Amino acid sequence: QTVSINKAINAQEVAVKEKHARNILPKKGAQTFWSVVNRLPLSGNAVLCWKFCHVFHKLLRDGHSNVLKDSVRYKNELSDMSRMWGHLSEGYGQLCSIYLKLLRTKMEFHTKNPRFPGNLQMSDRQLDEAGENDVNNFFQLTVEMFDYLECELNLFQTVFSSLDMSRSVSVTTAGQCRLAPLIQVILDCSHLYDYTVKLLFKLHSCLPADTLQGHRDRFLEQFRKLKDLFYRSSNLQYFKRLIQIPQLPENPPNFLRASALSEHISPVVVIPAEASSPDSEPITDLVEMDTASQSLFDNKFDDIFGSSFSSDPFNFNSQNGMNKDDKDRLIEQLYGEIAALKEELGNFKAESARGAVQLRGRASELEAELAEQRHLKQQAQDESEFLRAELEELKKQREDTEKAQRSLTEIERRAQANEQRYSKLKEKYSELVQNHADLLRKNAEVTKQVTMARQAQGDVEREKKELEDSFQRSQEQAEVLDTLKRELAASRQELQVLQGTLESNTQAGVEQSTRIAGLEQERDSLSQAAEQHGEEMAALQAELQQLRDTLSREQESSKALQQHLAEEQFALLRSTAQEAERMVQDALSRLEDPAHISCTGSAGEFYCLLSRTLAASECVERLQDAHSKYLSNCAAVGSLLPCLALFAHLVSDTLVQGSATSHVAPMEPADRLLEMCKQCGSEAVSYLSALQDPGTVEGADCSLMTTCLGRISAIGEELRPRGLDIKQEELGDLVDKEMAATAAAIETASTRIEEMLSKARAGDTGVKLEVNERILGSCTGLMQAIHVLVLASKDLQREIVESGRGAASPKEFYAKNSRWTEGLISASKAVGWGATVMVDAADLVVQGKGTFEELMVCSREIAASTAQLVAASKVKADKDSANLCKLQQASRGVTHATASVVASTKAGRSQVEEKDSMDFSSMTLTQIKRQEMDSQVRVLELENQLQKERQKLGELRKKHYELAGVAEGWEEDG
């Protein structure tokens, strides 16, 4: 197999030999194939990659089912290779790119639809099962087949476009190398066309015609392309001996007429069994060879003996002057006969040549029909085997049903007998009880009557128990009977076919009667055994009493063990709470430690305090849940102990970090922060102490911890510096990090928009799909424009640093110009944040949960952020810099993209509002007047709200300007 792979996939521009491709087909999987192919330079030689695609396509069609499973992992590599070859516009580059896309589409189709084999050969019943009788599945399957067939036709057209059809390219090795893979494509296209026609007829029987207008348009386009390509392929000399290509009908099927399905003929592609491989020599026309040979023979005869007999080269009379005698006339007559025979011989040869051509054509047609009949025979055999298997299964089901019916009849008969026996025994028991009461006064017969009563009572209990068991079994059998009846009802139609075989089962009735007699004997033996079991009943009752006594002792022991286990669990909880309390007490003591008080912190302490506070708050929530579970079930102590340990650790870190933060904060907030840390520690100690006492563990509450941690977090937010928490030597690294984070945020936003667009196309229709596509498309354009602007900004910043730092390093330059650097950082953060917020707003709009106004505001906000980034980058740039011109051009691109987003959003809103316009046709004059007054009131309210919101917006912008000035150090610069 390895040798055949290396021989089939090589750099020679010749077609793959059929014997090599046949030897490559694996019996189990494709591990060997991929182990050899991975060592080939597919990315370096286009012909090698083209022949690999041909072989891999044949493996997917004719190979083992595991070929697809073993090849899915290489799907991304095929995509990367397709993009790489797509950059070449000449030669095999575009062919390889399109072929690799086709192979990826084929793998995805068969992975998503595993019922379809690699060669796409399915019966109509299997095609119906693939859709699971769901119109939505059939609809989606038709779309996927359209995409699949589109890739096949694209490769078909690209191969024909790359060939010079003015020359006989099909007889050259280079032309055959390009045409050979189209045999696999023709096989795929014939099946896909057939299945598409059948699915469209099925969809038109379930859905309105308007809904399927897009399907019909797409099918019509593909029908025309496929018909033209089949016609062009059938005229190529290369395909005539290798494959019989079907021709599509003159007009496409009329899906609006259901009866047109009966007129549809499935196209059948026939590959003759004796067809030679694609590597054979070019086909030679034998008739032309015979004609050429005959012409050459005639020319040579004419050259030797003359072109005609009119000149009579053997006229000896002209030489000796003698008159013609009888002999000369005879010779002349013979020459005339020879000329006539020669002409007749030429005509005969021409007729025989034409007859040979016709016979060869007829032989090819008969061979194709024979191959088709063989194929149909094989399908009939497969269907016969399937029906035979179903028949055997139905026979087994019928036998099981008959057995179940017989068992049920026997059970019912036994139940009736048991009921009769029980009623008789009950009457006998009543009579015995009465007799026992009468005979109490008779001392002589007391012992005998008591013994008889006890025996009767034992029989009654035994029969009662047997009756209960029989009744329970009859209920179970009744349930089985209901199930079997349902299965029998479902199989009744199929059993009608088998009624002819029921006549042969008459002998089974005799066997059944014999079996019934045997069962009656068995019943008698069981009755005798039941009488014997009555004697064992007393012993079993005594044993039962012993077991009950043992069970009571075991229950008392179990209660003791459970109590001991609860004590051990609480001891474990107490020890864990004590250790956690010691950790918190240690943290509280460190708050008053002089060595700790004298330590100074940095600006990073504020961020660490906020992170610790957040983690502690989350831990308190988990601790509350674990505590509730423990109170409801003491066995859940295993989930409470880890939460206690983590709680003590995070609270201790929060207290220590709060103390450290208070050392770098102003006096008043520092005192509040320290006091709140002490209060938080006290609450934690109180909670942990309550967990150590069995009487207070149920009332222990840590909800006050959440309040204390929230206040500590609020104080930390107040104390957190704005823009002053970064060391100057760290500014250079932070600029690069922020620019990289901004680029990453934009890439993430673009990816999310593409995902939303794919989901919208898959799930939306009509106006909603049109609006969502327009909005998401404009958002994608804006993301691309911002990405270009960020790259231009980075280039300009690099130029500024290189031109202005002199002998200093870039970090020193950033540190020297810290205010300018902080402006860049702030602008980069704003751009990344704006991209994320805009994608979130677009997601909400697509889902129908957001508003168009929010999306327009987000787009304008991100445009303002990019303008801030441009302004920050232009401050120290040279006015004649090429990078500055590039940045300004990118800024204009962002402006245009923002305007496009706003315009598409407004258009979408108008389109949706037009769709949802009100209908006043059914309203009366009074109702319209009332609505008019309500609208006027609403207009006044909205105008008032608009005025207030504008005032609020002005105040917010003023406050934002002040805070931005503090963060950027504008006051200090002033």
Side-chain angles (χ1 to χ4, degrees):
Q1 187 177 0
T2 303
V3 173
S4 298
I5 293 173
N6 290 323
K7 288 183 178 180
I9 306 176
N10 53 50
Q12 298 179 1
E13 194 174 2
V14 294
V16 177
K17 293 185 178 181
E18 182 65 24
K19 61 179 181 180
H20 294 159
R22 190 165 49 248
N23 293 334
I24 294 174
L25 295 178
K27 297 182 180 180
K28 293 184 178 180
Q31 293 89 348
T32 304
F33 173 76
W34 282 108
S35 63
V36 176
V37 168
N38 287 332
R39 296 194 295 267
L40 298 177
L42 300 179
S43 300
N45 191 303
V47 176
L48 195 70
C49 182
W50 176 254
K51 299 175 79 171
F52 155 74
C53 294
H54 181 190
V55 174
F56 183 44
H57 194 174
K58 186 171 182 62
L59 257 65
L60 290 176
R61 278 190 52 82
D62 303 331
H64 195 271
S65 59
N66 290 335
V67 171
L68 179 62
K69 299 178 182 178
D70 297 337
S71 304
V72 170
R73 70 186 70 174
Y74 301 100
K75 186 169 61 175
N76 294 331
E77 297 180 9
L78 297 180
S79 299
D80 297 338
M81 199 183 307
S82 174
R83 286 193 293 270
M84 188 272 293
W85 284 116
H87 295 297
L88 297 180
S89 59
E90 297 180 355
Y92 282 88
Q94 287 294 327
L95 295 177
C96 292
S97 176
I98 295 173
Y99 208 163
L100 289 168
K101 290 179 182 178
L102 169 60
L103 294 176
R104 177 183 174 92
T105 303
K106 184 176 181 67
M107 293 168 65
E108 291 176 348
F109 177 82
H110 289 289
T111 302
K112 189 180 296 183
N113 303 282
R115 294 178 183 266
F116 285 83
N119 56 9
L120 294 173
Q121 292 183 0
M122 295 181 68
S123 63
D124 293 343
R125 183 177 58 82
Q126 292 173 333
L127 183 62
D128 292 338
E129 292 176 355
E132 299 177 354
N133 292 327
D134 189 351
V135 67
N136 296 322
N137 294 341
F138 285 124
F139 191 92
Q140 181 63 27
L141 183 60
T142 307
V143 175
E144 294 173 0
M145 284 190 176
F146 279 146
D147 297 338
Y148 192 175
L149 185 57
E150 188 70 28
C151 294
E152 301 274 4
L153 295 176
N154 193 13
L155 177 61
F156 221 137
Q157 289 180 326
T158 307
V159 171
F160 275 120
S161 300
S162 66
L163 297 175
D164 185 3
M165 303 307 293
S166 62
R167 298 185 295 111
S168 300
V169 293
S170 65
V171 298
T172 63
T173 56
Q176 291 177 2
C177 182
R178 300 192 183 193
L179 292 173
L182 294 185
I183 295 177
Q184 310 298 324
V185 176
I186 292 171
L187 292 170
D188 285 346
C189 289
S190 63
H191 291 296
L192 290 174
Y193 167 77
D194 183 33
Y195 300 154
T196 304
V197 172
K198 294 177 180 177
L199 289 177
L200 283 176
F201 273 111
K202 185 178 293 293
L203 288 175
H204 279 78
S205 65
C206 302
L207 298 176
D210 295 340
T211 305
L212 300 173
Q213 181 62 42
H215 281 48
R216 291 196 300 274
D217 295 341
R218 194 172 182 184
F219 172 81
L220 183 60
E221 180 183 0
Q222 293 185 353
F223 172 80
R224 293 170 179 170
K225 292 181 180 178
L226 186 60
K227 180 180 178 181
D228 178 65
L229 293 173
F230 274 7
Y231 176 75
R232 295 172 64 184
S233 302
S234 61
N235 293 330
L236 289 179
Q237 194 71 22
Y238 175 71
F239 289 122
K240 289 185 177 180
R241 190 172 55 174
L242 297 177
I243 186 172
Q244 183 179 350
I245 303 175
Q247 297 300 322
L248 299 185
E250 185 67 24
N251 298 317
N254 185 7
F255 300 109
L256 301 179
R257 185 168 56 89
S259 60
L261 178 60
S262 60
E263 302 172 2
H264 170 66
I265 300 176
S266 301
V268 178
V269 180
V270 180
I271 299 180
E274 70 277 5
S276 61
S277 61
D279 57 294
S280 62
E281 294 296 329
I283 299 173
T284 306
D285 194 341
L286 298 178
V287 179
E288 293 178 1
M289 290 181 61
D290 294 341
T291 306
S293 300
Q294 179 64 28
S295 176
L296 181 61
F297 174 80
D298 292 342
N299 291 336
K300 288 183 178 181
F301 184 89
D302 292 338
D303 292 340
I304 296 173
F305 299 103
S307 59
S308 66
F309 297 98
S310 60
S311 59
D312 195 2
F314 299 99
N315 188 359
F316 299 101
N317 293 330
S318 61
Q319 298 176 3
N320 52 20
M322 296 176 61
N323 295 325
K324 293 181 180 180
D325 53 5
D326 295 337
K327 185 177 181 179
D328 294 333
R329 286 193 299 272
L330 179 61
I331 291 173
E332 184 177 357
Q333 183 180 358
L334 292 175
Y335 274 124
E337 292 179 357
I338 290 173
L341 291 174
K342 183 178 179 181
E343 183 179 0
E344 185 178 356
L345 178 62
N347 295 332
F348 177 75
K349 287 184 177 180
E351 290 293 334
S352 63
R354 285 193 295 271
V357 172
Q358 293 177 356
L359 290 175
R360 290 193 191 98
R362 181 58 180 168
S364 299
E365 294 177 358
L366 293 175
E367 289 169 355
E369 292 179 359
L370 178 61
E372 184 177 0
Q373 292 298 327
R374 288 175 180 173
H375 178 68
L376 295 176
K377 179 182 178 182
Q378 184 64 32
Q379 287 184 347
Q381 290 178 353
D382 294 341
E383 292 181 358
S384 176
E385 292 294 334
F386 178 76
L387 293 175
R388 188 177 293 108
E390 285 189 349
L391 180 61
E392 293 296 333
E393 184 177 357
L394 289 174
K395 287 182 179 179
K396 292 180 181 179
Q397 290 180 359
R398 177 179 168 276
E399 293 176 357
D400 295 339
T401 304
E402 291 178 352
K403 291 179 181 179
Q405 287 180 346
R406 291 195 294 269
S407 300
L408 181 61
T409 305
E410 181 67 22
I411 290 170
E412 290 177 351
R413 185 168 60 253
R414 289 184 181 180
Q416 292 177 358
N418 289 333
E419 288 178 358
Q420 293 176 1
R421 186 184 303 172
Y422 176 73
S423 60
K424 292 179 181 180
L425 289 175
K426 187 175 181 181
E427 293 175 357
K428 184 177 180 180
Y429 175 73
S430 301
E431 183 180 355
L432 289 174
V433 170
Q434 184 66 32
N435 292 333
H436 178 68
D438 295 339
L439 293 175
L440 284 175
R441 293 183 296 273
K442 298 179 182 179
N443 295 328
E445 299 179 358
V446 169
T447 304
K448 183 178 180 180
Q449 294 296 333
V450 169
T451 303
M452 293 176 62
R454 287 179 179 175
Q455 291 179 355
Q457 186 177 4
D459 292 340
V460 169
E461 291 180 354
R462 183 175 63 256
E463 294 298 332
K464 182 178 180 181
K465 184 176 181 180
E466 291 180 357
L467 184 59
E468 291 177 352
D469 295 339
S470 299
F471 182 70
Q472 184 177 1
R473 287 194 299 271
S474 65
Q475 285 183 342
E476 294 176 355
Q477 293 295 332
E479 294 178 357
V480 174
L481 178 62
D482 293 337
T483 304
L484 292 174
K485 284 181 178 179
R486 288 193 297 269
E487 294 179 356
L488 183 62
S491 304
R492 184 166 297 168
Q493 295 180 356
E494 298 175 351
L495 289 176
Q496 291 178 358
V497 182
L498 303 175
Q499 288 180 354
T501 61
L502 294 178
E503 297 177 359
S504 62
N505 296 333
T506 54
Q507 187 176 358
V510 179
E511 296 177 357
Q512 187 177 12
S513 301
T514 306
R515 185 175 180 183
I516 290 173
L519 289 175
E520 289 178 353
Q521 295 177 359
E522 182 180 359
R523 182 190 62 186
D524 296 336
S525 62
L526 289 175
S527 299
Q528 296 175 1
E531 293 176 359
Q532 295 176 0
H533 291 163
E535 298 175 357
E536 299 174 0
M537 190 68 180
L540 292 175
Q541 288 181 351
E543 185 178 357
L544 177 61
Q545 185 62 33
Q546 294 178 359
L547 291 175
R548 287 176 178 174
D549 297 338
T550 305
L551 178 61
S552 62
R553 290 193 298 270
E554 291 293 334
Q555 288 177 350
E556 292 176 358
S557 176
S558 176
K559 290 180 180 179
L561 290 175
Q562 289 179 355
Q563 184 177 2
H564 181 67
L565 178 62
E567 292 174 357
E568 290 292 335
Q569 291 175 345
F570 186 79
L572 184 61
L573 175 61
R574 181 189 295 112
S575 61
T576 305
Q578 289 175 354
E579 183 63 25
E581 183 180 359
R582 282 195 293 271
M583 291 178 63
V584 177
Q585 289 286 5
D586 180 68
L588 287 174
S589 62
R590 290 177 65 184
L591 298 182
E592 304 296 336
D593 189 2
H596 181 72
I597 294 174
S598 60
C599 296
T600 59
S602 62
E605 300 290 343
F606 298 94
Y607 300 98
C608 187
L609 173 62
L610 294 175
S611 63
R612 292 291 88 187
T613 304
L614 179 61
S617 300
E618 294 175 352
C619 181
V620 168
E621 295 178 358
R622 293 197 296 271
L623 181 60
Q624 287 178 338
D625 295 338
H627 188 197
S628 301
K629 293 179 181 178
Y630 171 75
L631 293 179
S632 60
N633 184 11
C634 295
V637 69
S639 61
L640 179 60
L641 298 180
C643 292
L644 280 177
L646 181 61
F647 169 78
H649 173 69
L650 293 176
V651 170
S652 300
D653 284 354
T654 303
L655 297 180
V656 174
Q657 198 63 46
S659 177
T661 304
S662 65
H663 299 159
V664 296
M667 182 66 67
E668 181 181 357
D671 293 340
R672 288 192 289 112
L673 179 59
L674 193 60
E675 184 64 27
M676 191 54 61
C677 290
K678 292 179 181 180
Q679 182 180 353
C680 181
S682 300
E683 292 294 339
V685 170
S686 300
Y687 174 74
L688 294 173
S689 300
L691 292 179
Q692 301 173 22
D693 188 2
T696 60
V697 66
E698 186 173 358
D701 186 14
C702 60
S703 59
L704 296 176
M705 288 293 302
T706 304
T707 304
C708 294
L709 291 172
R711 293 177 181 175
I712 292 174
S713 178
I715 296 174
E717 284 290 340
E718 293 177 4
L719 295 176
R720 184 169 65 88
R722 301 294 187 262
L724 301 177
D725 53 348
I726 304 173
K727 296 180 181 179
Q728 291 187 349
E729 58 269 21
E730 298 175 355
L731 286 174
D733 295 336
L734 190 58
V735 169
D736 296 335
K737 290 180 181 178
E738 288 299 331
M739 294 300 292
T742 301
I746 294 171
E747 290 290 338
T748 303
S750 300
T751 303
R752 286 186 58 191
I753 291 174
E754 292 178 358
E755 293 176 355
M756 287 188 289
L757 186 57
S758 301
K759 291 180 180 179
R761 288 173 176 170
D764 298 336
T765 58
V767 176
K768 185 177 181 182
L769 176 60
E770 181 181 356
V771 172
N772 291 340
E773 283 184 342
R774 187 187 299 118
I775 293 175
L776 294 177
S778 60
C779 291
T780 302
L782 179 57
M783 290 295 106
Q784 294 174 354
I786 294 173
H787 180 67
V788 173
L789 184 137
V790 170
L791 294 178
S793 177
K794 291 174 66 176
D795 294 338
L796 181 58
Q797 292 170 22
R798 191 180 301 110
E799 178 182 349
I800 293 172
V801 173
E802 291 296 330
S803 63
R805 66 185 179 90
S809 64
K811 290 185 178 180
E812 292 175 352
F813 178 84
Y814 283 121
K816 181 179 178 181
N817 301 275
S818 60
R819 294 291 175 251
W820 177 71
T821 304
E822 290 174 357
L824 286 178
I825 295 171
S826 176
S828 300
K829 288 182 178 179
V831 172
W833 173 83
T836 304
V837 172
M838 193 191 76
V839 172
D840 294 337
D843 192 7
L844 292 176
V845 170
V846 172
Q847 295 178 6
K849 300 178 181 179
T851 61
F852 294 96
E853 291 78 8
E854 184 179 0
L855 182 58
M856 288 190 289
V857 171
C858 291
S859 62
R860 290 169 177 166
E861 184 64 25
I862 196 172
S865 301
T866 55
Q868 180 185 355
L869 180 60
V870 172
S873 302
K874 288 171 56 179
V875 170
K876 293 184 177 296
D878 186 5
K879 63 180 181 178
D880 297 328
S881 172
N883 288 326
L884 178 59
C885 296
K886 188 186 300 183
L887 178 63
Q888 292 174 343
Q889 186 177 0
S891 176
R892 288 191 290 269
V894 171
T895 303
H896 293 161
T898 303
S900 177
V901 172
V902 174
S904 61
T905 305
K906 289 182 178 179
R909 181 178 61 185
S910 301
Q911 195 168 359
V912 172
E913 289 175 353
E914 289 176 0
K915 181 181 176 182
D916 298 333
S917 59
M918 297 182 62
D919 184 14
F920 302 101
S921 59
S922 61
M923 297 178 63
T924 63
L925 178 61
T926 305
Q927 292 175 344
I928 293 176
K929 187 63 177 177
R930 180 62 181 176
Q931 292 286 343
E932 181 181 0
M933 293 176 63
D934 293 340
S935 298
Q936 291 177 356
V937 172
R938 183 60 178 165
V939 167
L940 294 176
E941 291 176 353
L942 291 176
E943 288 177 351
N944 189 18
Q945 291 181 4
L946 176 62
Q947 184 65 25
K948 292 181 179 179
E949 288 297 327
R950 284 178 175 172
Q951 293 177 358
K952 182 179 178 180
L953 178 61
E955 294 296 329
L956 287 173
R957 287 178 174 173
K958 181 178 180 181
K959 187 64 178 179
H960 176 251
Y961 184 83
E962 294 174 358
L963 293 176
V966 173
E968 300 297 331
W970 294 346
E971 295 179 356
E972 294 180 7
D973 292 341

